[in-house]
């Protein structure tokens, strides 16, 4: 987004005001002026200490309106599981052959799913997959005996989330082309999932700050006092 477009976007709402969730999402959607279909993301600051293992918030959330993105999935599996993954729509399926491709630099996928018996092999790709956040993990459902179901879920709108080193969680809730209703539905699915995943050891206010934004746009503050279980 050019400097003028960004400045115009800043003028379209009050940056010092915290909006009710639906209005914040609406403003974020309105700032998407790029030539491509921008992603609408929410960033949530949590009252946890990610340095403590029992306060690392990580998991998956199924977005009811989907992501609007064609998720490319690589699956490590053999035999019937491999065939089921292919039928479910996986983009890459294999074992030793897929290992060699990834080790050789092929990274044309957005996520990796593996059957449990494949993890000793996949674990050897730690240097390639780890830094990109692609290493399969049972907590996010990407290490599973039912790889076909996982492929269908992630292709259908399930996304991963995890706290970063600053206790922020960033989750895409759709595209600028989505309706306000669909963006709002996805927003509430994320909030409800994070509340469900609240660590028992977390003290004080749990959700401390929420911002919605388009890929190239400024952040719009959400009034955290309005984060009720039901949509506004």
């Amino acid at each position: 987004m050019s400097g003028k477009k960004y400045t115009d976007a800043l003028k379209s709402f009050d940056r010092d005001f915290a909006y009710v969730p639906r209005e914040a999402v609406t403003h974020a959607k309105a700032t998407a002026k790029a030539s491509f279909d921008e992603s609408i993301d929410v960033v949530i600051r949590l009252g946890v200490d990610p340095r403590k293992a029992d306060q690392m918030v990580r998991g998956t959330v199924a977005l009811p309106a989907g992501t609007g993105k064609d998720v490319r999935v690589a699956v490590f599996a053999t035999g019937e599981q491999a065939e089921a993954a292919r039928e479910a729509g996986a983009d890459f399926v294999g074992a030793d052959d897929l290992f060699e491709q990834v080790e050789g630099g092929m990274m044309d996928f957005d996520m990796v799913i593996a059957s449990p018996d494949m993890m000793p092999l996949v674990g050897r790709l730690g240097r390639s997959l780890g830094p990109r956040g692609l290493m399969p993990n049972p907590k996010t459902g990407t290490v599973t005996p039912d790889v076909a179901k996982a492929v269908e879920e992630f292709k259908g709108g399930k996304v991963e989330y995890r706290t970063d080193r600053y206790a922020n969680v960033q989750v895409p809730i759709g595209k600028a082309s989505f309706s306000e209703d669909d963006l709002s539905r996805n927003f509430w699915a994320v909030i409800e999932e994070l509340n469900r995943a609240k660590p028992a050891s977390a003290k004080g206010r749990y959700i401390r700050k929420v911002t919605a934004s388009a890929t190239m746009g400024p952040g719009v503050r959400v009034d955290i006092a309005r984060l009720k279980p039901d949509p506004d």
Side-chain angles (χ1 to χ4, degrees), residues 24-46:
V25 169
T26 298
H27 282 300
K29 171 181 165 71
T31 66
K33 303 296 185 182
S35 59
F36 60 94
D37 193 8
E38 296 181 53
S39 174
I40 304 298
D41 298 339
V42 290
V43 177
I44 302 100
R45 172 72 61 83
L46 299 178

Side-chain angles (χ1 to χ4, degrees), residues 21-22 24-30 37-38 40 64-68 173-187:
R22 187 182 180 89
V25 169
T26 298
H27 282 300
K29 171 181 165 71
D37 193 8
E38 296 181 53
I40 304 298
T67 64
I173 59 170
K175 296 287 188 176
S177 59
F178 277 30
S179 69
E180 293 169 7
D181 284 342
D182 283 346
L183 290 171
S184 185
R185 288 168 60 207
N186 284 351
F187 174 90

Side-chain angles (χ1 to χ4, degrees), residues 28-152:
K29 171 181 165 71
T31 66
K33 303 296 185 182
S35 59
F36 60 94
D37 193 8
E38 296 181 53
S39 174
I40 304 298
D41 298 339
V42 290
V43 177
I44 302 100
R45 172 72 61 83
L46 299 178
V48 298
D49 185 349
R51 296 172 299 179
K52 298 179 179 179
D54 62 348
Q55 292 192 33
M56 170 62 76
V57 180
R58 181 177 187 177
T60 59
V61 55
L63 301 179
T67 64
K69 180 181 179 181
D70 182 16
V71 180
R72 300 167 301 172
V73 180
V75 177
F76 283 86
T78 58
E80 293 182 358
Q81 289 182 323
E83 186 57 35
R86 292 189 184 93
E87 293 178 358
D91 300 272
F92 303 95
V93 181
D96 291 330
D97 54 339
L98 183 55
F99 173 90
E100 291 177 1
Q101 291 179 56
V102 175
E103 189 175 44
M106 192 281 286
M107 300 295 290
D108 297 332
F109 46 82
D110 303 300
M111 69 180 323
V112 179
I113 295 170
S115 58
D117 60 304
M118 287 285 100
M119 283 310 295
L121 177 66
V122 179
R124 290 161 52 193
L125 293 170
R127 290 185 177 180
S128 299
L129 301 178
R132 295 175 173 83
L134 294 173
M135 181 60 70
N137 188 301
K139 291 184 178 180
T140 60
T142 49
V143 177
T144 172
D146 194 344
V147 293
K149 180 181 179 182
V151 170
E152 292 173 349

Side-chain angles (χ1 to χ4, degrees), residues 178-227:
F178 277 30
S179 69
E180 293 169 7
D181 284 342
D182 283 346
L183 290 171
S184 185
R185 288 168 60 207
N186 284 351
F187 174 90
W188 285 107
V190 171
I191 296 300
E192 290 170 6
E193 166 59 22
L194 290 178
N195 279 324
R196 185 202 63 76
K198 179 181 179 180
S201 58
K203 306 298 181 183
R205 182 181 289 277
Y206 177 52
I207 295 181
R208 300 193 173 184
K209 183 179 180 181
V210 181
T211 304
S213 66
T215 302
M216 306 296 289
V220 183
R221 292 177 58 199
V222 176
D223 184 357
I224 59 175
R226 299 295 297 273
L227 294 182

